[in-house]
Amino acid sequence: MTDARLENKLGFDRIRQMISDRCSTDYASKRVEREEFSSDRAEICKRLQLTDEMKLIVMFEESFPTGGYIDCLPFLTPLLKEGSNIDLLSLGKLRTMTDTIRKICWFFRNTKDGIYPLLKRMSAPINNYPEIQRRIDVILDKFGEVKDTASDNLYGIRKNLKEKEAALSKRANAILKKAQLDGITDADLGVSIRDGKYLIPVNTASKRSLPGFVYDESASGKTSFIEPAEIIEIENDIVDLRFAESREIARILYEFSEFLRPYVPDLVKGAEFIGEIDFLISKAQTAIDLIAGMPVLSEDGTLNLRKARHPLLEKALKKEGKSICPLTVTLTPAKHILLISGPNAGGKSVCLKTCGLLQYMFQWGMLIPTSEVSEMPIFDRILVSIGDDQSIDKDLSTYSSFLSDMKEMLSVADSKTLILIDEFGSGTEPAAGGAIAEAILSELDRRGSYGVITTHYTNLKLYAARGGECGVANGAMLFDNKSISPLFSLEIGLPGNSFAFELARKIGLPESIVKDAEERAGDGYVGIERNLRKIERNRRALDEKLSRIRRTDKTLENITDKYQKELSDIKEQKRIILDEAKKEAQEIVKDANKKVENTIRAIKEAQAQKEQTKEARKELQDFMSALQQKKTSDQQAKDEYIDRKLGQIAKRQERWKDRKKEEDSAPAVSRNGSLKVGEKVRIKDNGMVGEISKVSSKAVTVIIGNISSKMPHDKVERISSNEYKTTLRKTQQAPLQVVDTNISERKLNFRTEIDLRGERLQNAIDIVTKYVDDAIMLNISSVRIIHGKGTGVLREELQKYLRTIPGISSVRDEQVQFGGAGVTIVTFD
């Protein structure tokens, strides 16, 4: 049952979107879209338990992987066909996926039995393929590039390539020195590299003195850049080696694809498993955000919502710094319809929508924001009549639309149907509308349908108050008579009061008009309203008395339990003390007997001499004193031990309270961790989105459209698949020019010259990367990079690197009078 109108009326479409926005993979986003309302008890239990288990993992298990959830089905599915090959980027994604599967499987296989049973059973059939992982690690380095050692042939090609490049550089420098000796090249000029070609800067007047091809000349026309004929053959060899390298990499990927093909069906299951885990993580994170839990499935058809909160309203109130008033509703087979009445804007519709939304979330498989002792039954269908569906095209007025909804409800309503009707019977003449509404309510009552209905009609309140076999119960939205304001609290058992006259007085309607209205309403209506208020006051006073009695009983019960426990502890302590005293007495008597026997023996042996007798008696007295001191010290040690234990218990309780406070104040869980190849990210500076193709310790390479850009880890942030697609759709719409004040400020502070003298090569490349990115972003035409001459290594590597950056039209040495080979001029497209 997927009803877009029903979901929109209840607000579940927004809950579905909240879950979808947290998904990292397209697979998980589609799962959110495909998941349907279910009436199968086993299926609902499974969905809820899986989500609840994942919620516990997200909250408490730090070893569970939080990243690496990427889409691999788009390139795995084509590999089922013969002749299809995997590309380099997909190979990096496959490594990320297999590594994530390995970590998830390791987590569940090292979890004790009985903990996360459904998730553990779900992961059991998923295989981990260390050989695939090993093969990928042989081909790719940690940055996602093909290793030199991926094959012997590739190693040889790259070795020859390095040798040829070294020979080319050496030969070009030799030609340059000879040209300088011949006087056709200035002494401070160096070899220039353009489009991968080594060029010798020669005075235009002497350009025919150096055999070769004129490739370019300076803006002034004084210098010509010649590609020497001697090095053309070496350059051709290098081009051939580059082609050979590409062919060898393609062959390696083809061989790997052939090796991988038998495993592809299992890898497809692994990719789907990753998507399912991503789907469950998104549900779990949403549940944590909503402070939701798993209720109890009702066995007897009771719907018992305790401390239920409308998730969307609660989030909206939080933004305003307000708190929501929890709702408690009980429906049973005996009282299966709740008729809520009360003042306008008192919360009737919120109660109705809360019941409907939480029931729909529950049967969709989502944890709900309510107490976990709540009971939820399972319905076959949920039918709603909320809001005004009038349509000019369909010739439907407000009341016609209501009657159309009633016709549909009555055609299918039974004891397995939950019906939600807002403002029951309104939209037409009150007497007729009330009579039709009462007839429909009676029929729904007869069929045993469950429902939550809001109304202002007195005849419906009287119907619900009949008692006996009537299955309808009254419910009132409470109202503060003193302040004439709603309390947004539901009380079941009494009908509500509309407080129409009181609200009219509060708003400031003339008293004469209010009095006239009361007279026109008649003594009967006013009397009913007055009696309802009186009953409500008496009921509230009685409830307060009952609450006080319950609190007193609870206090007495707690005191009795406390005394009973203390008495039991005293009796146990008395028994222990007596047992210890008996043992100690036995030891004392035993030692005393030995001492007396020894004393008597000593007296007899000394023939009862007076001095020796006194000495024996003194030893006996000393022995008795020592026993007394030992007893006293043992008692003190016991007291100290008890005090120390009590202190440890108190400290432990303080630590527990502190930890509880930290957990309560902790923010909602969010996925973090290191970035992986294939994940979607957003660039923090400009909001552009892309996909990670390479990851290194210092930077990541991000593919944005047809452009690859390298940037530090802290410049990007992980985003969900939905955010990626939404941003991509926006960028594909008609171009919109946006002026960023930050860019304007950076352009004012940007310097067109940078000094790299003294920097190490890697640091210099990092600085140049950021500098060139800023220059391209700020639309700078050209910049000067000062690196000095030195050994020429820094200049050569920087220029080689700069020529690989898209957006750069030329890289050349500065003119001699402005620095020559010690300065590089970079011109942008």
Side-chain angles (χ1 to χ4, degrees):
M1 175 178 148
T2 302
D3 187 337
R5 174 182 174 273
L6 172 63
E7 292 191 2
N8 178 260
K9 292 284 187 182
L10 296 177
F12 184 76
D13 55 338
R14 294 169 62 188
I15 300 293
R16 194 188 286 268
Q17 189 61 42
M18 286 169 62
I19 300 171
S20 182
D21 287 343
R22 292 179 180 271
C23 296
S24 296
T25 62
D26 288 339
Y27 179 93
S29 297
K30 290 175 182 176
R31 278 283 286 112
V32 176
E33 293 174 11
R34 292 195 306 266
E35 195 82 333
E36 296 180 353
F37 176 95
S38 174
S39 57
D40 184 277
R41 184 183 184 87
E43 179 64 21
I44 293 170
C45 285
K46 179 183 174 183
R47 293 180 186 180
L48 291 171
Q49 288 173 10
L50 282 171
T51 306
D52 194 51
E53 289 179 12
M54 185 56 73
K55 174 188 165 187
L56 294 176
I57 289 175
V58 171
M59 291 176 67
F60 302 114
E61 300 289 355
E62 295 181 358
S63 60
F64 191 81
T66 56
Y69 297 92
I70 57 174
D71 288 300
C72 290
L73 287 174
F75 68 83
L76 281 175
T77 306
L79 286 174
L80 292 168
K81 299 178 182 178
E82 292 292 334
S84 57
N85 294 334
I86 193 169
D87 57 41
L88 206 54
L89 178 60
S90 299
L91 188 61
K93 288 184 179 181
L94 181 62
R95 177 163 65 178
T96 300
M97 186 196 85
T98 54
D99 186 54
T100 304
I101 289 175
R102 178 185 62 80
K103 290 177 181 177
I104 294 173
C105 292
W106 180 90
F107 173 84
F108 286 118
R109 285 164 189 166
N110 286 273
T111 302
K112 293 181 181 178
D113 292 337
I115 302 177
Y116 315 129
L118 291 187
L119 285 172
K120 195 167 185 178
R121 195 177 308 134
M122 180 178 167
S123 67
I126 304 302
N127 295 316
N128 183 28
Y129 295 100
E131 180 60 20
I132 294 176
Q133 192 80 24
R134 188 192 69 78
R135 289 274 190 118
I136 296 174
D137 290 339
V138 168
I139 297 171
L140 298 181
D141 60 18
K142 62 181 180 179
F143 306 119
E145 297 286 354
V146 178
K147 293 179 178 179
D148 294 350
T149 55
S151 73
D152 293 340
N153 195 18
L154 184 62
Y155 180 81
I157 290 171
R158 287 186 173 174
K159 182 180 178 183
N160 290 339
L161 192 57
K162 289 176 183 177
E163 290 174 353
K164 289 289 184 183
E165 286 176 343
L168 178 62
S169 178
K170 184 177 179 180
R171 186 58 189 152
N173 284 320
I175 294 171
L176 175 66
K177 287 180 181 179
K178 185 176 183 305
Q180 288 171 340
L181 291 174
D182 293 343
I184 62 176
T185 299
D186 294 337
D188 56 350
L189 294 181
V191 176
S192 180
I193 303 175
R194 298 189 181 183
D195 299 331
K197 297 182 180 296
Y198 282 69
L199 307 176
I200 307 298
V202 177
N203 296 328
T204 302
S206 307
K207 64 183 178 181
R208 298 191 181 279
S209 302
L210 181 65
F213 300 95
V214 177
Y215 189 82
D216 197 2
E217 66 177 22
S218 64
S220 63
K222 294 180 179 180
T223 304
S224 296
F225 295 91
I226 297 176
E227 182 183 12
E230 295 180 42
I231 65 173
I232 290 176
E233 186 176 351
I234 301 176
E235 288 180 338
N236 290 339
D237 290 342
I238 290 174
V239 171
D240 288 341
L241 287 170
R242 291 286 183 198
F243 283 127
E245 180 186 29
S246 299
R247 287 194 299 272
E248 181 60 19
I249 290 173
R251 187 192 66 78
I252 291 170
L253 293 176
Y254 174 78
E255 283 188 356
F256 180 81
S257 300
E258 292 300 312
F259 154 76
L260 190 67
R261 214 175 306 280
Y263 300 102
V264 169
D266 289 335
L267 288 172
V268 168
K269 292 179 182 177
E272 292 172 348
F273 171 72
I274 287 285
E276 288 292 333
I277 294 293
D278 182 32
F279 169 62
L280 291 174
I281 289 175
S282 301
K283 287 176 68 179
Q285 288 181 330
T286 305
I288 293 169
D289 186 38
L290 300 178
I291 317 176
M294 186 171 77
V296 178
L297 265 74
S298 176
E299 299 290 342
D300 59 358
T302 297
L303 187 153
N304 185 15
L305 283 174
R306 301 182 65 83
K307 297 181 180 179
R309 310 179 313 279
H310 193 291
L312 303 177
L313 178 61
E314 186 175 30
K315 286 179 73 69
L317 290 175
K318 272 186 181 179
K319 291 179 181 178
E320 300 174 5
K322 300 177 183 178
S323 59
I324 194 170
C325 182
L327 172 72
T328 296
V329 174
T330 301
L331 297 178
T332 64
K335 291 290 182 183
H336 47 87
I337 296 177
L338 177 62
L339 187 74
I340 304 175
S341 52
N344 287 318
K348 300 190 300 297
S349 297
V350 171
C351 289
L352 178 144
K353 289 184 178 180
T354 300
C355 295
L357 177 58
L358 297 194
Q359 184 67 43
Y360 197 96
M361 289 172 64
F362 168 75
Q363 292 193 229
W364 189 81
M366 184 63 190
L367 305 182
I368 59 176
T370 180
S371 169
E372 293 190 354
V373 298
S374 297
E375 290 185 77
M376 303 292 285
I378 295 175
F379 296 106
D380 288 343
R381 65 193 67 84
I382 298 175
L383 303 175
V384 301
S385 177
I386 301 173
D388 188 355
D389 286 337
Q390 63 175 305
S391 171
I392 296 175
D393 296 337
K394 297 179 181 178
D395 195 24
L396 283 177
S397 66
T398 300
Y399 194 65
S400 298
S401 172
F402 165 75
L403 291 177
S404 177
D405 288 341
M406 295 304 102
K407 176 186 175 183
E408 180 183 347
M409 287 182 182
L410 292 171
S411 66
V412 294
D414 57 19
S415 61
K416 285 288 187 179
T417 303
L418 176 64
I419 290 174
L420 307 168
I421 306 174
D422 195 23
E423 299 294 346
F424 193 28
S426 63
T428 189
E429 194 274 322
I436 292 174
E438 186 173 349
I440 294 172
L441 180 61
S442 175
E443 178 61 18
L444 294 175
D445 181 18
R446 186 188 67 77
R447 296 187 187 187
S449 300
Y450 284 67
V452 179
I453 299 173
T454 69
T455 188
H456 288 286
Y457 284 178
T458 303
N459 65 314
L460 299 183
K461 302 177 193 177
L462 294 174
Y463 178 91
R466 289 187 309 175
E469 297 181 358
C470 177
V472 184
N474 271 310
M477 300 308 300
L478 299 185
F479 201 79
D480 189 339
N481 295 327
K482 293 180 181 179
S483 63
I484 313 297
S485 59
L487 298 175
F488 302 107
S489 180
L490 174 67
E491 185 171 6
I492 297 177
L494 286 177
N497 190 334
S498 65
F499 289 92
F501 299 125
E502 286 79 359
L503 286 170
R505 286 191 176 96
K506 182 182 178 182
I507 289 171
L509 209 63
E511 181 64 23
S512 59
I513 293 179
V514 176
K515 285 286 186 183
D516 185 35
E518 287 180 337
E519 291 174 2
R520 290 175 183 274
D523 293 339
Y525 176 81
V526 176
I528 290 173
E529 294 288 308
R530 189 177 295 116
N531 288 332
L532 285 174
R533 287 197 293 275
K534 185 177 179 181
I535 292 170
E536 184 180 343
R537 283 196 300 270
N538 294 337
R539 172 69 177 270
R540 196 173 300 170
L542 180 61
D543 286 343
E544 288 176 0
K545 289 181 181 179
L546 287 174
S547 297
R548 284 198 298 272
I549 293 170
R550 289 194 189 100
R551 284 197 298 271
T552 304
D553 289 345
K554 187 67 176 177
T555 302
L556 289 173
E557 186 179 341
N558 291 338
I559 292 173
T560 304
D561 291 343
K562 179 183 176 183
Y563 286 158
Q564 287 287 349
K565 187 176 185 303
E566 288 181 356
L567 182 61
S568 300
D569 292 343
I570 290 170
K571 288 180 179 179
E572 180 64 19
Q573 190 175 3
K574 179 181 177 182
R575 185 188 65 77
I576 293 171
I577 291 171
L578 288 174
D579 289 344
E580 291 179 352
K582 287 178 182 178
K583 290 180 183 178
E584 191 173 352
Q586 290 174 356
E587 292 294 329
I588 291 171
V589 170
K590 187 176 179 182
D591 291 342
N593 287 337
K594 288 181 181 178
K595 190 67 176 175
V596 170
E597 289 174 3
N598 292 337
T599 303
I600 293 171
R601 189 183 302 112
I603 292 172
K604 286 181 179 179
E605 290 176 355
Q607 296 179 353
Q609 292 181 10
K610 188 175 181 180
E611 293 296 328
Q612 290 181 345
T613 301
K614 287 182 179 179
E615 186 177 347
R617 285 177 178 172
K618 186 175 181 299
E619 288 180 4
L620 184 60
Q621 288 174 354
D622 292 342
F623 173 72
M624 296 302 292
S625 299
L627 284 176
Q628 186 64 32
Q629 290 177 359
K630 179 177 183 299
K631 183 176 180 182
T632 303
S633 63
D634 287 348
Q635 185 61 40
Q636 290 176 348
K638 290 176 183 176
D639 291 342
E640 291 175 0
Y641 173 77
I642 291 171
D643 291 340
R644 189 167 61 253
K645 282 295 181 184
L646 288 173
Q648 290 174 353
I649 291 170
K651 288 180 181 178
R652 192 177 300 120
Q653 288 176 340
E654 287 296 327
R655 286 198 301 270
W656 183 85
K657 288 179 182 177
D658 292 342
R659 190 180 303 117
K660 185 69 176 173
K661 287 180 182 177
E662 290 175 4
E663 290 175 358
D664 292 342
S665 62
V669 179
S670 60
R671 269 188 266 183
N672 50 22
S674 59
L675 297 168
K676 304 291 181 64
V677 173
E679 289 188 322
K680 311 292 191 302
V681 294
R682 179 191 292 113
I683 300 169
K684 294 179 180 179
D685 290 341
N686 54 28
M688 298 179 71
V689 297
E691 185 177 295
I692 295 177
S693 61
K694 296 176 187 175
V695 180
S696 67
S697 58
K698 293 183 179 179
V700 293
T701 301
V702 182
I703 298 176
I704 306 169
N706 296 324
I707 300 174
S708 294
S709 181
K710 188 176 182 183
M711 57 193 69
H713 288 262
D714 59 357
K715 294 293 183 183
V716 299
E717 58 182 353
R718 182 185 287 110
I719 60 173
S720 68
S721 178
N722 266 25
E723 289 178 280
Y724 175 77
K725 289 188 290 185
T726 302
T727 308
L728 210 57
R729 281 197 296 269
K730 288 180 181 178
T731 57
Q732 289 171 352
Q733 292 171 358
L736 178 66
Q737 185 174 0
V738 178
V739 178
D740 191 342
T741 56
N742 186 33
I743 292 179
S744 300
E745 184 179 346
R746 287 165 64 184
K747 190 165 186 177
L748 289 173
N749 297 326
F750 186 81
R751 297 179 57 191
T752 57
E753 182 176 281
I754 186 172
D755 193 342
L756 301 177
R757 286 176 293 188
E759 296 287 347
R760 294 182 177 274
L761 176 60
Q762 189 56 49
N763 289 341
I765 289 176
D766 291 341
I767 294 169
V768 166
T769 300
K770 186 178 184 305
Y771 182 67
V772 169
D773 285 345
D774 286 347
I776 293 173
M777 184 183 296
L778 300 174
N779 201 23
I780 305 298
S781 58
S782 66
V783 294
R784 300 177 81 247
I785 301 176
I786 303 172
H787 44 68
K789 294 181 180 179
T791 60
V793 174
L794 182 58
R795 166 188 166 278
E796 182 180 345
E797 293 299 325
L798 279 177
Q799 291 189 355
K800 187 187 298 183
Y801 170 68
L802 286 166
R803 289 185 176 89
T804 65
I805 299 177
I808 293 179
S809 60
S810 69
V811 178
R812 61 181 175 81
D813 290 335
E814 178 62 281
Q815 295 183 19
V816 180
Q817 62 270 32
F818 299 118
V823 179
T824 295
I825 304 297
V826 181
T827 307
F828 301 99
D829 292 338

